PDB file of all heavy atoms in Angstrom:
ATOM      1  N   LEU A 621      -4.303 -18.512 -30.905  1.00 88.00           N
ATOM      2  CA  LEU A 621      -4.447 -17.212 -30.272  1.00 88.00           C
ATOM      3  C   LEU A 621      -4.339 -16.062 -31.271  1.00 88.00           C
ATOM      4  O   LEU A 621      -4.570 -14.912 -30.927  1.00 88.00           O
ATOM      5  CB  LEU A 621      -3.430 -17.028 -29.160  1.00 88.00           C
ATOM      6  CG  LEU A 621      -3.645 -17.887 -27.950  1.00 88.00           C
ATOM      7  CD1 LEU A 621      -2.530 -17.719 -26.932  1.00 88.00           C
ATOM      8  CD2 LEU A 621      -4.983 -17.639 -27.278  1.00 88.00           C
ATOM      9  N   ILE A 622      -3.991 -16.330 -32.555  1.00 83.00           N
ATOM     10  CA  ILE A 622      -3.852 -15.246 -33.531  1.00 83.00           C
ATOM     11  C   ILE A 622      -5.177 -14.428 -33.623  1.00 83.00           C
ATOM     12  O   ILE A 622      -5.143 -13.185 -33.591  1.00 83.00           O
ATOM     13  CB  ILE A 622      -3.425 -15.791 -34.894  1.00 83.00           C
ATOM     14  CG1 ILE A 622      -1.912 -16.132 -34.834  1.00 83.00           C
ATOM     15  CG2 ILE A 622      -3.682 -14.696 -36.009  1.00 83.00           C
ATOM     16  CD1 ILE A 622      -1.397 -16.756 -36.154  1.00 83.00           C
ATOM     17  N   PRO A 623      -6.355 -15.070 -33.805  1.00 85.00           N
ATOM     18  CA  PRO A 623      -7.572 -14.277 -33.901  1.00 85.00           C
ATOM     19  C   PRO A 623      -7.837 -13.394 -32.728  1.00 85.00           C
ATOM     20  O   PRO A 623      -8.303 -12.253 -32.864  1.00 85.00           O
ATOM     21  CB  PRO A 623      -8.660 -15.331 -34.040  1.00 85.00           C
ATOM     22  CG  PRO A 623      -7.974 -16.531 -34.584  1.00 85.00           C
ATOM     23  CD  PRO A 623      -6.623 -16.504 -33.958  1.00 85.00           C
ATOM     24  N   LEU A 624      -7.494 -13.885 -31.502  1.00 86.00           N
ATOM     25  CA  LEU A 624      -7.680 -13.061 -30.295  1.00 86.00           C
ATOM     26  C   LEU A 624      -6.769 -11.901 -30.296  1.00 86.00           C
ATOM     27  O   LEU A 624      -7.144 -10.756 -29.902  1.00 86.00           O
ATOM     28  CB  LEU A 624      -7.463 -13.925 -29.054  1.00 86.00           C
ATOM     29  CG  LEU A 624      -7.678 -13.205 -27.689  1.00 86.00           C
ATOM     30  CD1 LEU A 624      -9.112 -12.739 -27.570  1.00 86.00           C
ATOM     31  CD2 LEU A 624      -7.296 -14.141 -26.550  1.00 86.00           C
ATOM     32  N   ALA A 625      -5.501 -12.078 -30.716  1.00 83.00           N
ATOM     33  CA  ALA A 625      -4.537 -11.006 -30.767  1.00 83.00           C
ATOM     34  C   ALA A 625      -4.968  -9.894 -31.760  1.00 83.00           C
ATOM     35  O   ALA A 625      -4.828  -8.691 -31.524  1.00 83.00           O
ATOM     36  CB  ALA A 625      -3.163 -11.534 -31.160  1.00 83.00           C
ATOM     37  N   LEU A 626      -5.549 -10.307 -32.915  1.00 80.00           N
ATOM     38  CA  LEU A 626      -5.927  -9.334 -33.908  1.00 80.00           C
ATOM     39  C   LEU A 626      -7.268  -8.629 -33.519  1.00 80.00           C
ATOM     40  O   LEU A 626      -7.448  -7.486 -33.787  1.00 80.00           O
ATOM     41  CB  LEU A 626      -6.154 -10.074 -35.275  1.00 80.00           C
ATOM     42  CG  LEU A 626      -4.906 -10.678 -35.877  1.00 80.00           C
ATOM     43  CD1 LEU A 626      -5.247 -11.320 -37.206  1.00 80.00           C
ATOM     44  CD2 LEU A 626      -3.811  -9.676 -36.066  1.00 80.00           C
ATOM     45  N   ARG A 627      -8.174  -9.393 -32.888  1.00 83.00           N
ATOM     46  CA  ARG A 627      -9.463  -8.813 -32.513  1.00 83.00           C
ATOM     47  C   ARG A 627      -9.344  -8.053 -31.245  1.00 83.00           C
ATOM     48  O   ARG A 627     -10.002  -6.977 -31.078  1.00 83.00           O
ATOM     49  CB  ARG A 627     -10.504  -9.942 -32.386  1.00 83.00           C
ATOM     50  CG  ARG A 627     -11.930  -9.420 -32.122  1.00 83.00           C
ATOM     51  CD  ARG A 627     -12.894 -10.568 -31.856  1.00 83.00           C
ATOM     52  NE  ARG A 627     -12.602 -11.267 -30.622  1.00 83.00           N
ATOM     53  CZ  ARG A 627     -12.126 -12.498 -30.531  1.00 83.00           C
ATOM     54  NH1 ARG A 627     -11.873 -13.196 -31.617  1.00 83.00           N
ATOM     55  NH2 ARG A 627     -11.956 -13.095 -29.381  1.00 83.00           N
ATOM     56  N   GLY A 628      -8.557  -8.508 -30.294  1.00 81.00           N
ATOM     57  CA  GLY A 628      -8.440  -7.818 -29.019  1.00 81.00           C
ATOM     58  C   GLY A 628      -9.415  -8.443 -28.003  1.00 81.00           C
ATOM     59  O   GLY A 628     -10.488  -8.933 -28.356  1.00 81.00           O
ATOM     60  N   VAL A 629      -9.086  -8.333 -26.725  1.00 83.00           N
ATOM     61  CA  VAL A 629      -9.920  -8.813 -25.642  1.00 83.00           C
ATOM     62  C   VAL A 629     -10.952  -7.696 -25.378  1.00 83.00           C
ATOM     63  O   VAL A 629     -10.607  -6.547 -25.115  1.00 83.00           O
ATOM     64  CB  VAL A 629      -9.128  -9.114 -24.343  1.00 83.00           C
ATOM     65  CG1 VAL A 629     -10.043  -9.477 -23.232  1.00 83.00           C
ATOM     66  CG2 VAL A 629      -8.147 -10.239 -24.638  1.00 83.00           C
ATOM     67  N   ARG A 630     -12.232  -8.014 -25.470  1.00 79.00           N
ATOM     68  CA  ARG A 630     -13.276  -7.068 -25.232  1.00 79.00           C
ATOM     69  C   ARG A 630     -13.287  -6.618 -23.758  1.00 79.00           C
ATOM     70  O   ARG A 630     -13.218  -7.458 -22.858  1.00 79.00           O
ATOM     71  CB  ARG A 630     -14.645  -7.639 -25.604  1.00 79.00           C
ATOM     72  CG  ARG A 630     -14.772  -7.954 -27.087  1.00 79.00           C
ATOM     73  CD  ARG A 630     -14.824  -6.679 -27.908  1.00 79.00           C
ATOM     74  NE  ARG A 630     -14.924  -6.940 -29.320  1.00 79.00           N
ATOM     75  CZ  ARG A 630     -13.931  -6.885 -30.177  1.00 79.00           C
ATOM     76  NH1 ARG A 630     -12.742  -6.565 -29.754  1.00 79.00           N
ATOM     77  NH2 ARG A 630     -14.121  -7.140 -31.434  1.00 79.00           N
ATOM     78  N   VAL A 631     -13.378  -5.304 -23.576  1.00 75.00           N
ATOM     79  CA  VAL A 631     -13.372  -4.712 -22.212  1.00 75.00           C
ATOM     80  C   VAL A 631     -14.786  -4.525 -21.725  1.00 75.00           C
ATOM     81  O   VAL A 631     -15.544  -3.769 -22.364  1.00 75.00           O
ATOM     82  CB  VAL A 631     -12.586  -3.397 -22.166  1.00 75.00           C
ATOM     83  CG1 VAL A 631     -12.627  -2.826 -20.748  1.00 75.00           C
ATOM     84  CG2 VAL A 631     -11.152  -3.639 -22.627  1.00 75.00           C
ATOM     85  N   GLN A 632     -15.194  -5.179 -20.704  1.00 68.00           N
ATOM     86  CA  GLN A 632     -16.542  -4.986 -20.161  1.00 68.00           C
ATOM     87  C   GLN A 632     -16.573  -3.791 -19.219  1.00 68.00           C
ATOM     88  O   GLN A 632     -15.544  -3.348 -18.680  1.00 68.00           O
ATOM     89  CB  GLN A 632     -16.929  -6.253 -19.369  1.00 68.00           C
ATOM     90  CG  GLN A 632     -17.060  -7.506 -20.204  1.00 68.00           C
ATOM     91  CD  GLN A 632     -17.449  -8.710 -19.392  1.00 68.00           C
ATOM     92  OE1 GLN A 632     -17.301  -8.734 -18.175  1.00 68.00           O
ATOM     93  NE2 GLN A 632     -17.931  -9.762 -20.050  1.00 68.00           N
ATOM     94  N   ALA A 633     -17.714  -3.224 -19.082  1.00 64.00           N
ATOM     95  CA  ALA A 633     -17.903  -2.094 -18.183  1.00 64.00           C
ATOM     96  C   ALA A 633     -17.828  -2.572 -16.748  1.00 64.00           C
ATOM     97  O   ALA A 633     -18.775  -3.046 -16.141  1.00 64.00           O
ATOM     98  CB  ALA A 633     -19.232  -1.378 -18.442  1.00 64.00           C
ATOM     99  N   ALA A 634     -16.626  -2.493 -16.152  1.00 63.00           N
ATOM    100  CA  ALA A 634     -16.389  -2.958 -14.819  1.00 63.00           C
ATOM    101  C   ALA A 634     -15.183  -2.201 -14.248  1.00 63.00           C
ATOM    102  O   ALA A 634     -14.427  -1.584 -14.992  1.00 63.00           O
ATOM    103  CB  ALA A 634     -16.218  -4.466 -14.752  1.00 63.00           C
ATOM    104  N   SER A 635     -14.966  -2.336 -12.957  1.00 64.00           N
ATOM    105  CA  SER A 635     -13.821  -1.706 -12.324  1.00 64.00           C
ATOM    106  C   SER A 635     -12.507  -2.414 -12.716  1.00 64.00           C
ATOM    107  O   SER A 635     -12.522  -3.566 -13.179  1.00 64.00           O
ATOM    108  CB  SER A 635     -13.982  -1.728 -10.819  1.00 64.00           C
ATOM    109  OG  SER A 635     -13.907  -3.084 -10.351  1.00 64.00           O
ATOM    110  N   ALA A 636     -11.411  -1.719 -12.532  1.00 65.00           N
ATOM    111  CA  ALA A 636     -10.083  -2.289 -12.831  1.00 65.00           C
ATOM    112  C   ALA A 636      -9.838  -3.587 -12.046  1.00 65.00           C
ATOM    113  O   ALA A 636      -9.316  -4.547 -12.516  1.00 65.00           O
ATOM    114  CB  ALA A 636      -9.008  -1.272 -12.594  1.00 65.00           C
ATOM    115  N   ALA A 637     -10.262  -3.618 -10.780  1.00 73.00           N
ATOM    116  CA  ALA A 637     -10.059  -4.767  -9.922  1.00 73.00           C
ATOM    117  C   ALA A 637     -10.858  -5.978 -10.445  1.00 73.00           C
ATOM    118  O   ALA A 637     -10.359  -7.083 -10.463  1.00 73.00           O
ATOM    119  CB  ALA A 637     -10.500  -4.449  -8.488  1.00 73.00           C
ATOM    120  N   HIS A 638     -12.066  -5.697 -10.888  1.00 75.00           N
ATOM    121  CA  HIS A 638     -12.892  -6.788 -11.431  1.00 75.00           C
ATOM    122  C   HIS A 638     -12.276  -7.320 -12.706  1.00 75.00           C
ATOM    123  O   HIS A 638     -12.238  -8.552 -12.945  1.00 75.00           O
ATOM    124  CB  HIS A 638     -14.291  -6.246 -11.740  1.00 75.00           C
ATOM    125  CG  HIS A 638     -15.211  -7.311 -12.385  1.00 75.00           C
ATOM    126  ND1 HIS A 638     -15.807  -8.328 -11.646  1.00 75.00           N
ATOM    127  CD2 HIS A 638     -15.535  -7.464 -13.697  1.00 75.00           C
ATOM    128  CE1 HIS A 638     -16.488  -9.038 -12.548  1.00 75.00           C
ATOM    129  NE2 HIS A 638     -16.361  -8.567 -13.747  1.00 75.00           N
ATOM    130  N   LEU A 639     -11.779  -6.431 -13.609  1.00 74.00           N
ATOM    131  CA  LEU A 639     -11.164  -6.876 -14.840  1.00 74.00           C
ATOM    132  C   LEU A 639      -9.903  -7.686 -14.554  1.00 74.00           C
ATOM    133  O   LEU A 639      -9.654  -8.686 -15.243  1.00 74.00           O
ATOM    134  CB  LEU A 639     -10.790  -5.656 -15.662  1.00 74.00           C
ATOM    135  CG  LEU A 639     -11.974  -4.902 -16.326  1.00 74.00           C
ATOM    136  CD1 LEU A 639     -11.462  -3.647 -17.059  1.00 74.00           C
ATOM    137  CD2 LEU A 639     -12.739  -5.772 -17.316  1.00 74.00           C
ATOM    138  N   LEU A 640      -9.124  -7.275 -13.524  1.00 76.00           N
ATOM    139  CA  LEU A 640      -7.897  -8.039 -13.160  1.00 76.00           C
ATOM    140  C   LEU A 640      -8.272  -9.404 -12.673  1.00 76.00           C
ATOM    141  O   LEU A 640      -7.672 -10.421 -13.091  1.00 76.00           O
ATOM    142  CB  LEU A 640      -7.157  -7.239 -12.092  1.00 76.00           C
ATOM    143  CG  LEU A 640      -5.862  -7.931 -11.577  1.00 76.00           C
ATOM    144  CD1 LEU A 640      -4.868  -8.097 -12.739  1.00 76.00           C
ATOM    145  CD2 LEU A 640      -5.254  -7.101 -10.480  1.00 76.00           C
ATOM    146  N   ARG A 641      -9.303  -9.519 -11.833  1.00 81.00           N
ATOM    147  CA  ARG A 641      -9.693 -10.841 -11.276  1.00 81.00           C
ATOM    148  C   ARG A 641     -10.183 -11.698 -12.479  1.00 81.00           C
ATOM    149  O   ARG A 641      -9.876 -12.917 -12.507  1.00 81.00           O
ATOM    150  CB  ARG A 641     -10.801 -10.690 -10.243  1.00 81.00           C
ATOM    151  CG  ARG A 641     -10.288 -10.128  -8.917  1.00 81.00           C
ATOM    152  CD  ARG A 641     -11.375 -10.334  -7.842  1.00 81.00           C
ATOM    153  NE  ARG A 641     -12.611  -9.660  -8.177  1.00 81.00           N
ATOM    154  CZ  ARG A 641     -12.925  -8.418  -7.859  1.00 81.00           C
ATOM    155  NH1 ARG A 641     -11.992  -7.685  -7.171  1.00 81.00           N
ATOM    156  NH2 ARG A 641     -14.044  -7.901  -8.180  1.00 81.00           N
ATOM    157  N   ARG A 642     -10.948 -11.113 -13.344  1.00 82.00           N
ATOM    158  CA  ARG A 642     -11.523 -11.895 -14.485  1.00 82.00           C
ATOM    159  C   ARG A 642     -10.389 -12.430 -15.358  1.00 82.00           C
ATOM    160  O   ARG A 642     -10.418 -13.602 -15.758  1.00 82.00           O
ATOM    161  CB  ARG A 642     -12.428 -10.988 -15.274  1.00 82.00           C
ATOM    162  CG  ARG A 642     -13.009 -11.628 -16.551  1.00 82.00           C
ATOM    163  CD  ARG A 642     -13.982 -10.629 -17.229  1.00 82.00           C
ATOM    164  NE  ARG A 642     -14.419 -11.164 -18.509  1.00 82.00           N
ATOM    165  CZ  ARG A 642     -13.798 -11.019 -19.655  1.00 82.00           C
ATOM    166  NH1 ARG A 642     -12.652 -10.345 -19.706  1.00 82.00           N
ATOM    167  NH2 ARG A 642     -14.295 -11.510 -20.790  1.00 82.00           N
ATOM    168  N   ASN A 643      -9.442 -11.550 -15.692  1.00 80.00           N
ATOM    169  CA  ASN A 643      -8.358 -11.986 -16.536  1.00 80.00           C
ATOM    170  C   ASN A 643      -7.445 -13.022 -15.902  1.00 80.00           C
ATOM    171  O   ASN A 643      -6.953 -13.945 -16.536  1.00 80.00           O
ATOM    172  CB  ASN A 643      -7.515 -10.819 -17.051  1.00 80.00           C
ATOM    173  CG  ASN A 643      -8.180  -9.989 -18.115  1.00 80.00           C
ATOM    174  OD1 ASN A 643      -9.191 -10.442 -18.667  1.00 80.00           O
ATOM    175  ND2 ASN A 643      -7.726  -8.798 -18.368  1.00 80.00           N
ATOM    176  N   LEU A 644      -7.234 -12.893 -14.597  1.00 83.00           N
ATOM    177  CA  LEU A 644      -6.417 -13.856 -13.885  1.00 83.00           C
ATOM    178  C   LEU A 644      -7.108 -15.232 -13.859  1.00 83.00           C
ATOM    179  O   LEU A 644      -6.453 -16.301 -13.958  1.00 83.00           O
ATOM    180  CB  LEU A 644      -6.108 -13.449 -12.448  1.00 83.00           C
ATOM    181  CG  LEU A 644      -5.104 -12.284 -12.298  1.00 83.00           C
ATOM    182  CD1 LEU A 644      -4.990 -11.903 -10.841  1.00 83.00           C
ATOM    183  CD2 LEU A 644      -3.717 -12.740 -12.774  1.00 83.00           C
ATOM    184  N   LEU A 645      -8.438 -15.197 -13.718  1.00 86.00           N
ATOM    185  CA  LEU A 645      -9.206 -16.426 -13.679  1.00 86.00           C
ATOM    186  C   LEU A 645      -9.195 -17.108 -15.043  1.00 86.00           C
ATOM    187  O   LEU A 645      -8.956 -18.315 -15.160  1.00 86.00           O
ATOM    188  CB  LEU A 645     -10.643 -16.134 -13.231  1.00 86.00           C
ATOM    189  CG  LEU A 645     -11.579 -17.352 -13.171  1.00 86.00           C
ATOM    190  CD1 LEU A 645     -11.063 -18.334 -12.118  1.00 86.00           C
ATOM    191  CD2 LEU A 645     -12.991 -16.938 -12.826  1.00 86.00           C
ATOM    192  N   ILE A 646      -9.478 -16.295 -16.111  1.00 87.00           N
ATOM    193  CA  ILE A 646      -9.595 -16.901 -17.438  1.00 87.00           C
ATOM    194  C   ILE A 646      -8.249 -17.216 -18.021  1.00 87.00           C
ATOM    195  O   ILE A 646      -7.986 -18.358 -18.449  1.00 87.00           O
ATOM    196  CB  ILE A 646     -10.369 -15.935 -18.370  1.00 87.00           C
ATOM    197  CG1 ILE A 646     -11.788 -15.765 -17.886  1.00 87.00           C
ATOM    198  CG2 ILE A 646     -10.356 -16.460 -19.829  1.00 87.00           C
ATOM    199  CD1 ILE A 646     -12.595 -14.735 -18.651  1.00 87.00           C
ATOM    200  N   TYR A 647      -7.314 -16.247 -18.012  1.00 89.00           N
ATOM    201  CA  TYR A 647      -6.060 -16.434 -18.748  1.00 89.00           C
ATOM    202  C   TYR A 647      -4.942 -16.959 -17.841  1.00 89.00           C
ATOM    203  O   TYR A 647      -4.004 -17.590 -18.317  1.00 89.00           O
ATOM    204  CB  TYR A 647      -5.619 -15.079 -19.362  1.00 89.00           C
ATOM    205  CG  TYR A 647      -6.617 -14.594 -20.399  1.00 89.00           C
ATOM    206  CD1 TYR A 647      -7.572 -13.632 -20.072  1.00 89.00           C
ATOM    207  CD2 TYR A 647      -6.642 -15.180 -21.673  1.00 89.00           C
ATOM    208  CE1 TYR A 647      -8.499 -13.197 -21.028  1.00 89.00           C
ATOM    209  CE2 TYR A 647      -7.581 -14.727 -22.637  1.00 89.00           C
ATOM    210  CZ  TYR A 647      -8.495 -13.761 -22.279  1.00 89.00           C
ATOM    211  OH  TYR A 647      -9.385 -13.349 -23.226  1.00 89.00           O
ATOM    212  N   GLY A 648      -5.061 -16.713 -16.516  1.00 88.00           N
ATOM    213  CA  GLY A 648      -4.058 -17.235 -15.628  1.00 88.00           C
ATOM    214  C   GLY A 648      -4.298 -18.721 -15.342  1.00 88.00           C
ATOM    215  O   GLY A 648      -3.431 -19.586 -15.635  1.00 88.00           O
ATOM    216  N   VAL A 649      -5.498 -19.040 -14.859  1.00 88.00           N
ATOM    217  CA  VAL A 649      -5.877 -20.439 -14.575  1.00 88.00           C
ATOM    218  C   VAL A 649      -5.923 -21.225 -15.894  1.00 88.00           C
ATOM    219  O   VAL A 649      -5.422 -22.330 -15.988  1.00 88.00           O
ATOM    220  CB  VAL A 649      -7.194 -20.515 -13.831  1.00 88.00           C
ATOM    221  CG1 VAL A 649      -7.624 -21.982 -13.662  1.00 88.00           C
ATOM    222  CG2 VAL A 649      -7.122 -19.801 -12.501  1.00 88.00           C
ATOM    223  N   GLY A 650      -6.462 -20.555 -16.935  1.00 87.00           N
ATOM    224  CA  GLY A 650      -6.515 -21.219 -18.259  1.00 87.00           C
ATOM    225  C   GLY A 650      -5.090 -21.518 -18.788  1.00 87.00           C
ATOM    226  O   GLY A 650      -4.886 -22.574 -19.387  1.00 87.00           O
ATOM    227  N   GLY A 651      -4.156 -20.602 -18.551  1.00 87.00           N
ATOM    228  CA  GLY A 651      -2.811 -20.850 -19.016  1.00 87.00           C
ATOM    229  C   GLY A 651      -2.136 -21.956 -18.283  1.00 87.00           C
ATOM    230  O   GLY A 651      -1.149 -22.561 -18.845  1.00 87.00           O
ATOM    231  N   ILE A 652      -2.542 -22.306 -17.116  1.00 88.00           N
ATOM    232  CA  ILE A 652      -2.036 -23.432 -16.372  1.00 88.00           C
ATOM    233  C   ILE A 652      -2.700 -24.722 -16.766  1.00 88.00           C
ATOM    234  O   ILE A 652      -2.009 -25.762 -17.003  1.00 88.00           O
ATOM    235  CB  ILE A 652      -2.170 -23.226 -14.845  1.00 88.00           C
ATOM    236  CG1 ILE A 652      -1.267 -22.052 -14.416  1.00 88.00           C
ATOM    237  CG2 ILE A 652      -1.817 -24.508 -14.101  1.00 88.00           C
ATOM    238  CD1 ILE A 652      -1.441 -21.686 -12.949  1.00 88.00           C
ATOM    239  N   VAL A 653      -3.998 -24.732 -16.976  1.00 89.00           N
ATOM    240  CA  VAL A 653      -4.761 -25.920 -17.234  1.00 89.00           C
ATOM    241  C   VAL A 653      -4.591 -26.401 -18.713  1.00 89.00           C
ATOM    242  O   VAL A 653      -4.362 -27.585 -18.995  1.00 89.00           O
ATOM    243  CB  VAL A 653      -6.239 -25.730 -16.954  1.00 89.00           C
ATOM    244  CG1 VAL A 653      -7.060 -26.939 -17.422  1.00 89.00           C
ATOM    245  CG2 VAL A 653      -6.420 -25.493 -15.448  1.00 89.00           C
ATOM    246  N   VAL A 654      -4.653 -25.463 -19.645  1.00 90.00           N
ATOM    247  CA  VAL A 654      -4.641 -25.828 -21.072  1.00 90.00           C
ATOM    248  C   VAL A 654      -3.383 -26.619 -21.474  1.00 90.00           C
ATOM    249  O   VAL A 654      -3.515 -27.604 -22.201  1.00 90.00           O
ATOM    250  CB  VAL A 654      -4.772 -24.543 -21.941  1.00 90.00           C
ATOM    251  CG1 VAL A 654      -4.492 -24.830 -23.411  1.00 90.00           C
ATOM    252  CG2 VAL A 654      -6.187 -23.957 -21.769  1.00 90.00           C
ATOM    253  N   PRO A 655      -2.151 -26.249 -21.082  1.00 89.00           N
ATOM    254  CA  PRO A 655      -1.031 -27.042 -21.447  1.00 89.00           C
ATOM    255  C   PRO A 655      -1.088 -28.496 -21.003  1.00 89.00           C
ATOM    256  O   PRO A 655      -0.648 -29.384 -21.717  1.00 89.00           O
ATOM    257  CB  PRO A 655       0.155 -26.292 -20.798  1.00 89.00           C
ATOM    258  CG  PRO A 655      -0.327 -24.904 -20.632  1.00 89.00           C
ATOM    259  CD  PRO A 655      -1.748 -25.059 -20.306  1.00 89.00           C
ATOM    260  N   PHE A 656      -1.553 -28.702 -19.754  1.00 88.00           N
ATOM    261  CA  PHE A 656      -1.625 -30.109 -19.266  1.00 88.00           C
ATOM    262  C   PHE A 656      -2.558 -30.925 -20.183  1.00 88.00           C
ATOM    263  O   PHE A 656      -2.241 -32.035 -20.590  1.00 88.00           O
ATOM    264  CB  PHE A 656      -2.161 -30.107 -17.845  1.00 88.00           C
ATOM    265  CG  PHE A 656      -1.166 -29.778 -16.804  1.00 88.00           C
ATOM    266  CD1 PHE A 656      -1.074 -28.502 -16.246  1.00 88.00           C
ATOM    267  CD2 PHE A 656      -0.247 -30.742 -16.372  1.00 88.00           C
ATOM    268  CE1 PHE A 656      -0.096 -28.186 -15.331  1.00 88.00           C
ATOM    269  CE2 PHE A 656       0.730 -30.400 -15.414  1.00 88.00           C
ATOM    270  CZ  PHE A 656       0.792 -29.131 -14.898  1.00 88.00           C
ATOM    271  N   VAL A 657      -3.722 -30.363 -20.505  1.00 90.00           N
ATOM    272  CA  VAL A 657      -4.664 -31.065 -21.352  1.00 90.00           C
ATOM    273  C   VAL A 657      -4.110 -31.239 -22.764  1.00 90.00           C
ATOM    274  O   VAL A 657      -4.143 -32.322 -23.365  1.00 90.00           O
ATOM    275  CB  VAL A 657      -6.025 -30.334 -21.374  1.00 90.00           C
ATOM    276  CG1 VAL A 657      -6.964 -31.012 -22.300  1.00 90.00           C
ATOM    277  CG2 VAL A 657      -6.601 -30.225 -19.974  1.00 90.00           C
ATOM    278  N   GLY A 658      -3.608 -30.082 -23.317  1.00 91.00           N
ATOM    279  CA  GLY A 658      -3.129 -30.123 -24.698  1.00 91.00           C
ATOM    280  C   GLY A 658      -1.969 -31.034 -24.897  1.00 91.00           C
ATOM    281  O   GLY A 658      -1.946 -31.837 -25.894  1.00 91.00           O
ATOM    282  N   ILE A 659      -0.974 -30.972 -24.026  1.00 90.00           N
ATOM    283  CA  ILE A 659       0.238 -31.825 -24.189  1.00 90.00           C
ATOM    284  C   ILE A 659      -0.138 -33.316 -24.036  1.00 90.00           C
ATOM    285  O   ILE A 659       0.389 -34.145 -24.766  1.00 90.00           O
ATOM    286  CB  ILE A 659       1.275 -31.430 -23.195  1.00 90.00           C
ATOM    287  CG1 ILE A 659       1.813 -30.026 -23.519  1.00 90.00           C
ATOM    288  CG2 ILE A 659       2.448 -32.424 -23.103  1.00 90.00           C
ATOM    289  CD1 ILE A 659       2.829 -29.438 -22.501  1.00 90.00           C
ATOM    290  N   LYS A 660      -1.041 -33.616 -23.142  1.00 90.00           N
ATOM    291  CA  LYS A 660      -1.453 -34.993 -22.946  1.00 90.00           C
ATOM    292  C   LYS A 660      -2.163 -35.562 -24.223  1.00 90.00           C
ATOM    293  O   LYS A 660      -1.880 -36.638 -24.660  1.00 90.00           O
ATOM    294  CB  LYS A 660      -2.363 -35.145 -21.722  1.00 90.00           C
ATOM    295  CG  LYS A 660      -2.892 -36.572 -21.484  1.00 90.00           C
ATOM    296  CD  LYS A 660      -1.736 -37.527 -21.263  1.00 90.00           C
ATOM    297  CE  LYS A 660      -2.268 -38.973 -21.025  1.00 90.00           C
ATOM    298  NZ  LYS A 660      -1.120 -39.970 -20.952  1.00 90.00           N
ATOM    299  N   LEU A 661      -3.057 -34.721 -24.761  1.00 92.00           N
ATOM    300  CA  LEU A 661      -3.741 -35.163 -25.983  1.00 92.00           C
ATOM    301  C   LEU A 661      -2.768 -35.347 -27.141  1.00 92.00           C
ATOM    302  O   LEU A 661      -2.866 -36.341 -27.923  1.00 92.00           O
ATOM    303  CB  LEU A 661      -4.830 -34.153 -26.352  1.00 92.00           C
ATOM    304  CG  LEU A 661      -6.021 -34.077 -25.419  1.00 92.00           C
ATOM    305  CD1 LEU A 661      -6.949 -32.978 -25.783  1.00 92.00           C
ATOM    306  CD2 LEU A 661      -6.779 -35.422 -25.345  1.00 92.00           C
ATOM    307  N   ILE A 662      -1.844 -34.423 -27.311  1.00 92.00           N
ATOM    308  CA  ILE A 662      -0.829 -34.541 -28.378  1.00 92.00           C
ATOM    309  C   ILE A 662       0.039 -35.774 -28.164  1.00 92.00           C
ATOM    310  O   ILE A 662       0.367 -36.452 -29.109  1.00 92.00           O
ATOM    311  CB  ILE A 662      -0.054 -33.236 -28.464  1.00 92.00           C
ATOM    312  CG1 ILE A 662      -0.947 -32.085 -28.884  1.00 92.00           C
ATOM    313  CG2 ILE A 662       1.112 -33.403 -29.461  1.00 92.00           C
ATOM    314  CD1 ILE A 662      -0.267 -30.727 -28.823  1.00 92.00           C
ATOM    315  N   ASP A 663       0.423 -35.987 -26.894  1.00 89.00           N
ATOM    316  CA  ASP A 663       1.221 -37.168 -26.583  1.00 89.00           C
ATOM    317  C   ASP A 663       0.543 -38.441 -26.988  1.00 89.00           C
ATOM    318  O   ASP A 663       1.137 -39.348 -27.554  1.00 89.00           O
ATOM    319  CB  ASP A 663       1.557 -37.159 -25.059  1.00 89.00           C
ATOM    320  CG  ASP A 663       2.339 -38.385 -24.671  1.00 89.00           C
ATOM    321  OD1 ASP A 663       3.557 -38.484 -24.903  1.00 89.00           O
ATOM    322  OD2 ASP A 663       1.712 -39.325 -24.029  1.00 89.00           O
ATOM    323  N   MET A 664      -0.752 -38.538 -26.652  1.00 92.00           N
ATOM    324  CA  MET A 664      -1.522 -39.737 -26.986  1.00 92.00           C
ATOM    325  C   MET A 664      -1.599 -39.898 -28.552  1.00 92.00           C
ATOM    326  O   MET A 664      -1.487 -40.999 -29.039  1.00 92.00           O
ATOM    327  CB  MET A 664      -2.938 -39.598 -26.406  1.00 92.00           C
ATOM    328  CG  MET A 664      -2.942 -39.686 -24.889  1.00 92.00           C
ATOM    329  SD  MET A 664      -4.592 -39.256 -24.195  1.00 92.00           S
ATOM    330  CE  MET A 664      -5.582 -40.573 -24.904  1.00 92.00           C
ATOM    331  N   LEU A 665      -1.780 -38.768 -29.253  1.00 92.00           N
ATOM    332  CA  LEU A 665      -1.859 -38.864 -30.681  1.00 92.00           C
ATOM    333  C   LEU A 665      -0.536 -39.247 -31.308  1.00 92.00           C
ATOM    334  O   LEU A 665      -0.503 -40.105 -32.226  1.00 92.00           O
ATOM    335  CB  LEU A 665      -2.304 -37.453 -31.234  1.00 92.00           C
ATOM    336  CG  LEU A 665      -2.508 -37.350 -32.757  1.00 92.00           C
ATOM    337  CD1 LEU A 665      -3.636 -38.310 -33.183  1.00 92.00           C
ATOM    338  CD2 LEU A 665      -2.842 -35.912 -33.146  1.00 92.00           C
TER     339      LEU A 665
END
């Protein structure tokens, strides 16, 4: 995530509600799914 922190999340021309829904979908759901996948792959390795 270092490159994302340095570059920043690009803001699309949309309402605040749309941006909130988009971020919850990408970073909220992604934050739940990614650890399950990542930890399992590392465990197997």
Side-chain angles (χ1 to χ4, degrees):
L621 292 176
I622 285 177
L624 182 62
L626 298 180
R627 185 184 68 250
V629 176
R630 295 291 180 257
V631 179
Q632 296 179 341
S635 65
H638 176 80
L639 290 174
L640 179 61
R641 287 194 301 270
R642 176 179 175 272
N643 283 347
L644 286 176
L645 179 63
I646 295 175
Y647 298 99
V649 176
I652 293 175
V653 173
V654 169
F656 281 99
V657 176
I659 291 174
K660 178 59 180 176
L661 291 175
I662 295 171
D663 176 77
M664 293 170 61
L665 182 62

